Amino acid sequence: MQADILKEDQAQNTCIFSTEFALRLMGDVQEYFIKENVRNFYSVSISGYHIAEAGANPITQLAFTLANGFTYVEYYLSRGMNINDFGPNLSFFFSNGIDPEYAVIGRVARKIWAKAMKLKYGANERAQMLKYHIQTSGRSLHAQEIDFNDIRTTLQALYAIYDNCNSLHTNAYDEAITTPTEESVRRAMAIQLIINKELGLAKNENPIQGSFIIEELTDLVEEAVLTEFDRITERGGVLGAMETMYQRSKIQEESMYYEMLKHTGEFPIIGVNTFLSSKGSPTVIPSEVIRATEEEKLFQIKTLEDLHKGNADKAKEQINLLQDAAIKNENIFELLMDATKYCTLGQITSGLFEVGGQYRRNM
């Protein structure tokens, strides 16, 4: 479940409830998972991807994401949950750009997480294992010479596979312009298949472990992440730092620095700011650009109206139950499992706004 409220605040500014109320909802999800013995889903995808997409460098992405993860651990423990019950239900999600640090992002994350879970929280082996998903960098895709994007994605996928990620998403080359087409998605999938099925070195698990550069980078990145932990701690931990918008400010500064390097040419991007084609590397419009049609839009609106009419009484009853649970500090997620059968997302959020308040952090 992509329910990581801390990165929503730090990187995306898409919070609709206060951090306190949203954290409570996340705790309700995890409590439900434990009560119902849910093991085929993760209760949260603790996400660095959106932190990186907003502009953070690889060190900041990793440090902020792990710090957010430990904040959830502390919060769930404060709710009386057992570390070994919820530890295996946490997963992570990172972006792989093209910088060298991305080559070791997974092994550093696993090293720090395992040590903390074992030595600080006394977690069992299963809870010490950090599971993570990699998506290749959307920020590294460019509208100029879009065919080159597949090359960048391939190299980022190699980083991920050589670093033993648990799962991988390779971006389509045309995502800088449009919703991926069937043709571009097939090419993106082929990148993974060719690496996994044809590339000989990838048949050996962890083929680059032990090489000088990987070992050196692992130590350097780990040290840099722990230094960033100190900066966060000095500001009152993750939640305290968020109140002064430390994470958001750092992400914005690093984003501006990255854009400056692109515009000055200090960070060379082939076909964008250097080695331009004879035509000047203009934006390439793919043969198919996908947009929703007017008919599709009207159909969706009609579906929504029909749902409101057909479930009017039942929806009102479910919203009242949700609000009552929120006020009495009962598990909201348990009731959401029934409410979603009759209520739209808009009805649910509007109902919870009345008891939890509507929220948007100032820029």
Side-chain angles (χ1 to χ4, degrees), residues 17 23 30 40 43 77 104 111-112 131 158 160 204 252:
F17 300 112
L23 269 175
Q30 183 56 69
N40 293 330
S43 66
L77 288 172
V104 298
K111 192 176 177 185
I112 292 173
K131 289 80 61 182
L158 272 176
N204 182 73
Q252 288 173 352

Side-chain angles (χ1 to χ4, degrees), residues 38 59 124 152 232 250 342:
V38 176
I59 301 295
N124 62 22
R152 297 183 180 100
I232 294 171
K250 198 167 195 301
Y342 307 101

Side-chain angles (χ1 to χ4, degrees), residues 121-188:
Y121 300 109
N124 62 22
E125 281 192 14
R126 183 74 182 85
Q128 291 170 31
M129 296 178 184
L130 181 144
K131 289 80 61 182
Y132 77 99
H133 172 78
I134 285 286
Q135 182 175 340
T136 57
S137 172
R139 185 174 65 154
S140 71
L141 304 180
H142 300 281
Q144 299 95 324
E145 304 222 41
I146 59 175
D147 287 344
F148 291 3
N149 288 332
D150 272 344
I151 301 167
R152 297 183 180 100
T153 296
T154 300
L155 296 171
Q156 293 159 8
L158 272 176
Y159 273 167
I161 289 169
Y162 283 177
D163 204 27
N164 280 355
C165 67
N166 294 87
S167 60
L168 174 64
H169 171 145
T170 36
N171 287 329
Y173 72 91
D174 54 0
E175 285 191 57
I177 296 171
T178 180
T179 302
T181 59
E182 188 170 343
E183 178 263 341
S184 69
V185 169
R186 180 163 173 76
R187 277 171 58 170

Side-chain angles (χ1 to χ4, degrees), residues 85-97:
D85 287 337
F86 69 77
N89 262 153
L90 306 177
S91 69
F92 288 80
F93 174 24
F94 299 114
S95 168
N96 255 20

Side-chain angles (χ1 to χ4, degrees), residues 325-362:
I327 292 166
K328 292 179 179 176
N329 207 30
E330 296 169 353
N331 193 300
I332 298 172
F333 185 73
E334 195 161 355
L335 291 168
L336 271 175
M337 298 300 284
D338 286 324
T340 50
K341 297 171 185 174
Y342 307 101
C343 308
T344 63
L345 192 59
Q347 288 174 315
I348 291 169
T349 50
S350 296
L352 290 177
F353 283 155
E354 293 177 19
V355 290
Q358 190 170 359
Y359 171 86
R360 175 61 61 91
R361 188 180 291 279
N362 291 330

